[in-house]
Amino acid sequence: MCGIIGYVGHQQAAPILLDGLARMEYRGYDSAGVAVRSETKGLQVYKSKGRLQVLSDMIHGGADVEGTLGIGHTRWATHGEPNDINAHPHVSEDGRIAMVHNGIIENYMEIKQQLLRHGVTFKSETDTEVAAQLLEFHYNECHNMLEAVGRVLRRIEGSYAFGIICADYPNALIAARKDSPLIIGCGENENFIASDVTAVISHTRDVIYMEDGEIAVLTAEGVNLFNDEMDPIDKPHSHIDWDVSAAEKGGYPHFMLKEIFEQPEAVRKTVSPRVREGRVVLDDLRLTKEYIQGVSRIFIVACGSSYHVGMVSKYNWERLLRRPVEVCLASEFRYCDPLVGDHSLVIFISQSGETLDTMAALRETKRRGGRTLAVVNVVGSSIAREADDVLYTWAGPEIAVATTKAYSTQLVLMDLIALYLGDLLGTIEKTEYDTILHELEVLPEKLERVLASIEDVKYFASRYFNHDSIFFIGRNLDYAMGLEGSLKLKEISYIHSEAYASGELKHGTISLIEPGTLVVALGTYEPLFDKAMSNVVEVKARGAEVLALATEPFKEKMAHTADSVIAVPETHPVVQPSLGVVPLQLFAYYVALQRGCDIDKPRNLAKSVTVE
Ligand code: AGP
């Protein structure tokens, strides 16, 4: 959601804050702001609606702003429309305290009423301003900032990551977190806070992951941490080892395109360390044969594209494990009184590891005694830390809001886990095990081949980009893959699009097919290719324009009926969606490009959804 940065040190703070915000702009981009304290000018606050560039231009890249202590924010609006006033930082009434916040304060209305009764006046509609005013209220009572922060945290309900500076504390930056990510970057004579390590990696690789309930006081010289009882605590530091260039565009026009092209490497990094002598080795997984034999239900819980990985995995896991697998949207699962118990294994899939709905579902599962396994990309993220077991996808940092390489690495990791568990359970034939594993190992080369046919996809995108409604149809794994293709398209091109199980069309949706309607027919699941063809015939008969996807051996057959066909290399059916999804990602990308959309930062969205 929102991105927070904070700096205390000996350098000019504002350019550092702007640079950090630029690296986190994918988290939210409807307004941005900074607050910097200087000896001569006190607390200076600059904020503005719109992209970060507007703010940066206003303060000449930060050069205009004096001071070595500051906080910054890029916003994804929850309370109050995106405008200058609702932009962060929010400042208390007497102008001494500035605050940036990520999360939602659920009881803000009640607190606001109380403060209004004390004569406090408000400028914005935000919950964050309420927290800033409450902090001033308590600070005026106790005259100790840390104590006042503690009182505020005890009073508010909801989720937060806070960055706070106060004119009376010229050398201190205060941070607190609960259910919203926040890290501390430890430099030499300078320290940072940020929502994400990408914001500080160009300054330091030495980070501390803050946990719920913790408070930190940062000065240039050091970091003091406290638990929710205000007792001082020590925490281990983590070293970030990925390269800073991984979070830069490296010559590509958009992060999304760069990340699409990084898929072969990301898949290789996720698969190859886990294959030894023809077997899947999951060193970090502590599930024993006895445990897995006793599992009666498997749930996969996630949101958005990660949920779509769950949909593909349901088909694959049921085939390979012969166990029922239920795929649930995290936002539904947490409130549906889920039938999770001792014999349930619940898998949580999340790129960011910070998605609030998924996090809440994980906590609910643990509360009910279910065993939790997280498949996560961001190392040290909240979901990764709280799950009983975690397996990482090694996609590297993903910046584009529309996920591509994280989705692909999640898919292959789920395949590896299925092979591993199927082997423990004895439910996979040796030849099938060997074939799938081999196909996963050679997948990067096949992905390179798909990426080499980019010109075909570009051409089809230029032919179809002006459709205003597009249907994706497919059966079995093609249906699950179509869900992702359709989401990619609507996310970044704003074209209305739906994915349907082809067999369902005749139960209602086919009434929407009229002459010229674009149908993307997915026919890569070879066992049901003939059925897929019949559905193509059905929609063609009603005048649809059909762009089809088929495996290379089936391309010609598909071309007899469909208007255009994109072919992908053939692999084992379990692995096929990993190849099929790539032309769909590219199609969405080029359609969005033709339509002039802001591909990496689509409207109304944010990369990491840390609100409910
Ligand atoms: C995908 O393109 C989306 N941006 C979105 O659906 C995303 O997959 C979803 O919000 C879940 O995020 P997570 O994987 O970080 O939990």
Side-chain angles (χ1 to χ4, degrees):
M1 289 291 70
C2 308
I4 288 179
I5 178 93
Y7 175 79
V8 55
H10 299 290
Q11 300 188 61
Q12 192 180 12
I16 294 174
L17 298 176
L18 289 175
D19 177 65
L21 291 179
R23 292 172 192 276
M24 287 189 298
E25 209 186 0
Y26 66 87
R27 298 182 67 88
Y29 33 82
D30 54 41
S31 57
V34 293
V36 178
R37 189 207 171 271
S38 89
E39 270 320 314
T40 49
K41 297 189 176 154
L43 218 56
Q44 312 147 80
V45 180
Y46 300 91
K47 47 192 196 173
S48 123
K49 180 185 168 186
R51 294 293 160 91
L52 181 64
Q53 195 56 47
V54 181
L55 173 73
S56 182
D57 291 347
M58 183 200 289
I59 56 176
H60 301 108
D64 290 0
V65 187
E66 267 177 38
T68 57
L69 167 70
I71 48 180
H73 189 268
T74 176
R75 180 172 186 242
W76 186 86
T78 57
H79 292 65
E81 65 170 281
N83 60 26
D84 292 358
I85 293 173
N86 291 332
H88 298 216
H90 286 283
V91 178
S92 64
E93 204 169 16
D94 67 10
R96 267 183 305 166
I97 298 169
M99 175 186 276
V100 287
H101 167 223
N102 177 16
I104 291 183
I105 298 166
E106 285 161 6
N107 58 341
Y108 83 106
M109 275 312 279
E110 182 193 318
I111 300 171
K112 188 170 183 173
Q113 293 306 327
Q114 205 180 357
L115 291 170
L116 283 168
R117 283 198 292 277
H118 280 92
V120 177
T121 56
F122 290 85
K123 293 196 182 83
S124 78
E125 301 156 75
T126 63
D127 51 343
T128 309
E129 188 190 358
V130 174
Q133 303 282 28
L134 183 66
L135 182 57
E136 179 186 285
F137 179 84
H138 286 301
Y139 181 56
N140 286 340
E141 277 178 351
C142 68
H143 307 290
N144 177 314
M145 184 46 72
L146 195 57
E147 167 61 24
V149 169
R151 290 185 191 184
V152 169
L153 300 186
R154 284 192 289 278
R155 177 75 176 84
I156 60 178
E157 289 161 18
S159 57
Y160 54 78
F162 285 127
I164 301 161
I165 57 174
C166 172
D168 299 347
Y169 292 78
N171 306 314
L173 167 62
I174 298 182
R177 85 152 257 178
K178 179 174 165 277
D179 295 337
S180 278
L182 200 61
I183 62 110
I184 296 170
C186 306
E188 290 219 353
N189 296 319
E190 57 183 4
N191 288 300
F192 307 79
I193 56 166
S195 303
D196 188 330
V197 286
T198 49
V200 300
I201 186 107
S202 56
H203 304 282
T204 178
R205 291 168 178 279
D206 183 8
V207 303
I208 301 171
Y209 292 100
M210 288 186 74
E211 306 277 349
D212 283 354
E214 289 175 356
I215 301 170
V217 180
L218 290 78
T219 60
E221 291 71 37
V223 177
N224 291 310
L225 280 153
F226 303 88
N227 64 16
D228 54 0
E229 306 276 311
M230 291 294 179
D231 301 322
I233 50 168
D234 270 337
K235 290 198 63 152
H237 290 217
S238 304
H239 181 75
I240 304 298
D241 55 9
W242 46 262
D243 199 321
V244 73
S245 65
E248 287 166 357
K249 277 191 208 147
Y252 284 88
H254 296 99
F255 278 111
M256 184 178 174
L257 191 62
K258 174 179 177 247
E259 289 160 5
I260 289 173
F261 274 85
E262 283 172 348
Q263 290 181 110
E265 190 50 23
V267 164
R268 187 176 290 120
K269 281 188 174 151
T270 302
V271 173
S272 46
R274 292 173 166 129
V275 183
R276 273 179 238 147
E277 292 165 9
R279 318 294 310 158
V280 178
V281 182
L282 300 177
D283 289 329
D284 300 330
L285 192 62
R286 292 165 303 154
L287 299 180
T288 60
K289 184 172 179 174
E290 293 64 43
Y291 170 79
I292 194 73
Q293 278 171 339
V295 166
S296 55
R297 301 184 73 136
I298 298 173
F299 294 87
I300 301 175
V301 182
C303 304
S305 295
S306 298
Y307 169 78
H308 295 158
V309 170
M311 291 293 286
V312 171
S313 302
K314 176 185 167 66
Y315 289 103
N316 286 342
W317 282 43
E318 288 189 341
R319 169 183 180 139
L320 300 174
L321 304 187
R322 306 311 302 155
R323 292 282 190 286
V325 176
E326 209 172 307
V327 192
C328 309
L329 291 163
S331 53
E332 291 295 315
F333 181 86
R334 57 186 292 199
Y335 296 122
C336 74
D337 196 7
L339 296 171
V340 170
D342 294 357
H343 298 290
S344 309
L345 172 63
V346 191
I347 325 274
F348 297 87
I349 307 178
S350 176
Q351 186 285 127
S352 61
E354 300 293 350
T355 303
L356 188 77
D357 285 322
T358 311
M359 183 72 210
L362 182 141
R363 288 182 179 161
E364 183 61 22
T365 301
K366 290 184 87 171
R367 206 178 60 77
R368 288 168 184 256
R371 173 100 184 212
T372 58
L373 163 61
V375 168
V376 171
N377 192 43
V378 178
V379 175
S381 54
S382 307
I383 291 172
R385 290 200 309 267
E386 288 198 25
D388 297 316
D389 287 281
V390 57
L391 289 173
Y392 286 107
T393 48
W394 298 113
E398 190 180 62
I399 308 294
V401 166
T403 180
T404 52
K405 61 174 180 170
Y407 172 91
S408 289
T409 52
Q410 289 167 349
L411 268 187
V412 293
L413 183 48
M414 289 297 282
D415 291 344
L416 287 175
I417 303 171
L419 288 179
Y420 180 84
L421 298 181
D423 192 31
L424 285 185
L425 289 170
T427 47
I428 308 181
E429 292 280 327
K430 182 171 176 345
T431 11
E432 182 156 53
Y433 181 101
D434 290 344
T435 314
I436 296 173
L437 191 53
H438 171 74
E439 287 302 321
L440 286 169
E441 287 187 281
V442 298
L443 185 60
E445 287 98 85
K446 292 191 178 177
L447 282 166
E448 300 282 7
R449 272 168 57 198
V450 177
L451 291 168
S453 60
I454 188 170
E455 291 305 321
D456 290 355
V457 184
K458 238 190 225 179
Y459 166 72
F460 292 125
S462 68
R463 192 159 141 192
Y464 296 123
F465 76 92
N466 55 6
H467 280 256
D468 53 14
S469 182
I470 299 181
F471 293 89
F472 286 72
I473 61 168
R475 287 171 182 264
N476 197 281
L477 286 163
D478 278 329
Y479 162 57
M481 182 175 79
L483 292 168
E484 178 61 7
S486 169
L487 179 66
K488 283 287 87 78
L489 188 76
K490 57 191 143 197
E491 230 180 340
I492 60 168
S493 76
Y494 316 142
I495 295 177
H496 171 256
S497 153
E498 300 296 337
Y500 277 92
S502 313
E504 263 303 288
L505 278 182
K506 59 184 175 293
H507 298 290
T509 314
I510 202 160
S511 64
L512 296 172
I513 307 292
E514 52 186 11
T517 304
L518 181 62
V519 174
V520 178
L522 307 171
T524 70
Y525 184 63
E526 291 177 356
L528 292 178
F529 181 82
D530 290 338
K531 301 274 177 207
M533 279 295 289
S534 341
N535 296 118
V536 173
V537 173
E538 265 169 31
V539 293
K540 278 299 299 168
R542 281 142 186 100
E545 172 93 11
V546 175
L547 169 62
L549 190 67
T551 55
E552 281 158 356
F554 285 80
K555 179 178 180 183
E556 225 175 283
K557 209 167 168 193
M558 182 61 98
H560 290 150
T561 317
D563 298 284
S564 336
V565 188
I566 298 171
V568 292
E570 196 182 33
T571 178
H572 188 282
V574 162
V575 184
Q576 198 69 59
S578 291
L579 290 170
V581 76
V582 176
L584 306 185
Q585 297 166 342
L586 285 168
F587 182 68
Y589 174 83
Y590 283 110
V591 165
L593 194 67
Q594 291 275 349
R595 292 166 73 95
C597 300
D598 190 345
I599 292 178
D600 285 338
K601 299 187 192 100
R603 70 184 178 206
N604 306 337
L605 295 175
K607 182 70 180 162
S608 145
V609 186
T610 53
V611 292
E612 189 172 355

